[in-house]
Amino acid sequence: MKSVIAEDLVKTYRKGSVKALDGLSLDVTEGTVLSVLGPNGAGKTTTVRILATLLAPDSGRATVAGIDVIKNPEKVREVIGLSGQYAAVDETLTGWDNLVMFGQLYHLGKTKSVARANELLEKFSLTDSARRPIKTYSGGMRRRLDLAASLIVRPKVLFLDEPTTGLDPRGRQEMWGVIEELVKDGVTLLLTTQYLEEADQLADEIVVIDYGKVIARGTSDALKKQVGGERLEVIVEQNQISAVAEIVERVSGASASIDEGLRKITAPVSSGSTALVEVLRAMDTSGIHPLDIALKRPSLDDVFMSLTGHAAEDQVVEVAKKARGGRP
Amino acid sequence: MNGITDALIITKRQLLQLARVPEVLIFSTIQPIMFVLLFRFVFGGSISTGAPGGYVQLLMPGIFVQTVAFTLAATASGLAEDMKKGLIDRFRSLPIARSALVFGRTLGDSTLNIVVLFAMGLTGFIVGWRPSSGILKISLSFILLLFFGYALSWVGIYAGLSARDARVVQNVSFLITFPLTFLSNAFAPTTGMPKPLQYVAEWNPVSTMVAACRELFGLKIQFGVTANSFPSSHPVTMSLIYMVIIMVIFVPLSVRKYSTTANR
Ligand SMILES: Nc1ncnc2c1ncn2[C@@H]1O[C@H](COP(=O)(O)OP(=O)(O)OP(=O)(O)O)[C@@H](O)[C@H]1O
Ligand SMILES: [Mg+2]
């Protein structure tokens, strides 16, 4: 069963001069997590807003929980939860006020709304700050409250647009924990992100988008394989290169590439940290001390490099140029 | 039925905001009170009216109308603020009627007017305002004022949704309300204006509202009646017609605009 289906979505802004979505298609299987991965301006927010009925596409079709988002937006709104890219809560009100208000707007009635608000505040560790205006919350707390607001009525499909952008590592970790718990409860989740690491951690499947189109899809392992998985890099003295290359190749089981100028030996490894320890141990036995040794994980940049031939960073500039005085 | 409850929840949200940040209520009350005092004591001495009880009798209706006219700006900037914060997106993703938010907001902004009008009336009374028509007509005039504010609040919705930037909204709505309130009989006789402007002032909804209030407060004289035109002889009727026109145009327009406008 597919909970979300998008087919050939096209959306242009400014009378067609900015193409935000250019025939994007994706689907999410019920009860799974799909991560939409892409750099700034790739079309992540546009996709989410169309699926959440906030924006009509120029052409294309989409259904959420089997309901057409264009023909039956009201029905779709009954089964989705949305937490946008920027926390959308009333800043002058307290966290409690906000949740009770949204509960009432979901027609829970006052008593149930209050009960649900308390429950969610507890769940998201916000009980202590429940009676403070949101203005006084940290970025992470705001994000959590925003997420709580989208969970008041257990949604069938949840959309999260860059839920951890702008959070510090601890806030990100906390958010991941919260999201993992939701997934365990069986919600179908579509989440956008700029971080491969995040997609890796949370998603069953990943689609990579660029210029409003899907350029790759698959599990995180499959995508990483496509870009080569983890690599071990060792830098040693000139006269030790061949000895070390031999050790690295034995551990890696693949041939190593050698950069004579940088005196760098690189080889793909499957179980990174074990390989790292093994190589270090073997070098130690041979009395070789590396100048530098590191395990390189593929980053979003690597994925982009290998999929599009350009770095994610260039993308931002090009897209900004394309938008010609549009939004940065 | 749900639509009405939803709208009332949105209204309650605004009242709750006032409770959480009481400064907003305090300052939106102090400002009109200050206007009453300034006009009463600065111009009161120099504008001769011939009205028994002096300038303050003619002034109060003017200030009442001016104050409710600024509901337009309040609604517009409140809505623009919600758009900027992304709150509108959240409301629009909820399973509620799209008209609920706009109805709720216009109602909320008008509720604030009750408090403000009361405070102004009290201040006016202290500095000599004495409406002579009796409680029924006075109440009627306040109801008229509240409805006028409510109607203009719908224009505010449209203005707030139309502006590209939240900061522009304030300016745009002042651009609408200032000429509207000063090109009228609110503070000075229109007879001093150049002839063409006199006609504008006479047909200006603010003028008809002010004239209507003066009539309902029991004043025998008006500021600058140029001719026995319809608005000056039937100010209450004319005001009601204006409100209906404003609502008929702007309610559907604003609701539509709201359901198609995206956040910024
Ligand atoms: N209201 C708008 N008017 C004009 N152009 C827009 C508008 N909204 C989005 N765009 C453009 O559409 C493209 C896709 O934008 P979108 O917000 O979907 O990207 P995104 O992947 O969410 O980016 P980010 O990571 O920065 O949030 C961009 O080029 C953007 O400039
Ligand atoms: Mg985005």
Side-chain angles (χ1 to χ4, degrees), chain A residues 49 53-54 77-78 82 87-94 97 101-102 104-107 110 146 149-150, chain B residues 2 6 9-10 12-13 16-17 20-21 85-87 89-96 98 262-263:
Chain A
R49 288 171 48 91
T53 77
L54 298 177
R77 278 174 226 139
E78 283 171 18
L82 165 68
V89 282
D90 190 327
E91 306 227 316
T92 47
L93 300 187
T94 69
D97 290 339
M101 171 180 71
F102 288 122
Q104 290 183 296
L105 288 173
Y106 275 108
H107 309 126
K110 177 85 187 195
D146 191 68
S150 61
Chain B
N2 262 344
D6 293 341
I9 293 165
I10 303 289
K12 205 177 103 191
R13 161 190 170 223
L16 208 54
Q17 284 179 336
R20 297 287 180 242
V21 194
K85 297 267 163 65
L87 253 178
D89 255 7
R90 159 133 282 144
F91 285 122
R92 290 170 79 227
S93 76
L94 296 176
I96 55 172
R98 293 219 155 152
N263 269 332

Side-chain angles (χ1 to χ4, degrees), chain A residues 58-95:
Chain A
D58 298 349
S59 67
R61 262 174 25 88
T63 60
V64 171
I67 311 162
D68 194 312
V69 297
I70 299 150
K71 291 191 194 121
N72 265 324
E74 301 84 16
K75 285 272 169 351
V76 171
R77 278 174 226 139
E78 283 171 18
V79 297
I80 60 166
L82 165 68
S83 178
Q85 185 164 356
Y86 307 98
V89 282
D90 190 327
E91 306 227 316
T92 47
L93 300 187
T94 69

